[in-house]
Amino acid sequence: MDIQGAALRIYVDDLETAIPFYERLTGARAMSFARGGVQVAAVGSFLLMSGPEAELEVLRKVTATIAVKDVEEAHRVLSGLGARIIAGPVATPVGRNLIVMHPDGAVFEYVDQAG
């Protein structure tokens, strides 16, 4: 499994106010999309999220987002290592994702950019 990086999850009250700070900090442009009632902006290594607390409460249980080359491969490897697949793989606006609980109880989102 090819791990390509990780994104830090940051929950903000006002996404539009937060984006310019992170764009200046990273020198990267935000890529924004919505998923359910949550607004998301990927800016460099940061994943900013804003939305109803009920939906954010679920997202806060995920420790980090890990970019991989292929979510299907990640699914096979993680399953073989004894991880519990919570959700996915499923298509998202920017690729595919997989939510996994590692044997130690940590929950991670694995993502790729495949269509």
Side-chain angles (χ1 to χ4, degrees):
M1 176 173 63
D2 184 6
I3 295 176
Q4 300 177 328
L8 303 169
R9 293 168 153 253
I10 301 182
Y11 304 93
V12 299
D13 291 329
D14 184 345
L15 193 63
E16 295 308 313
T17 300
I19 287 173
F21 171 82
Y22 285 95
E23 285 181 330
R24 288 191 304 271
L25 178 66
T26 64
R29 302 260 317 145
M31 184 173 68
S32 299
F33 59 93
R35 180 125 191 231
V38 177
Q39 298 296 314
V40 181
V43 189
S45 294
F46 298 97
L47 195 57
L48 310 176
M49 297 181 212
S50 183
E53 187 54 40
E55 293 187 45
L56 293 179
E57 182 180 349
V58 173
L59 296 174
R60 290 181 204 278
K61 295 178 182 176
V62 177
T63 302
T65 298
I66 300 171
V68 295
K69 185 174 183 180
D70 182 351
V71 160
E72 296 293 338
E73 179 187 11
H75 184 276
R76 287 189 300 276
V77 170
L78 290 159
S79 293
L81 293 171
R84 183 167 66 90
I85 307 305
I86 297 172
V90 298
T92 73
V94 294
R96 299 176 298 178
N97 81 338
L98 175 70
I99 307 294
V100 178
M101 180 181 289
H102 290 188
D104 61 11
V107 178
F108 293 90
E109 174 187 37
Y110 289 82
V111 300
D112 67 18
Q113 293 185 354

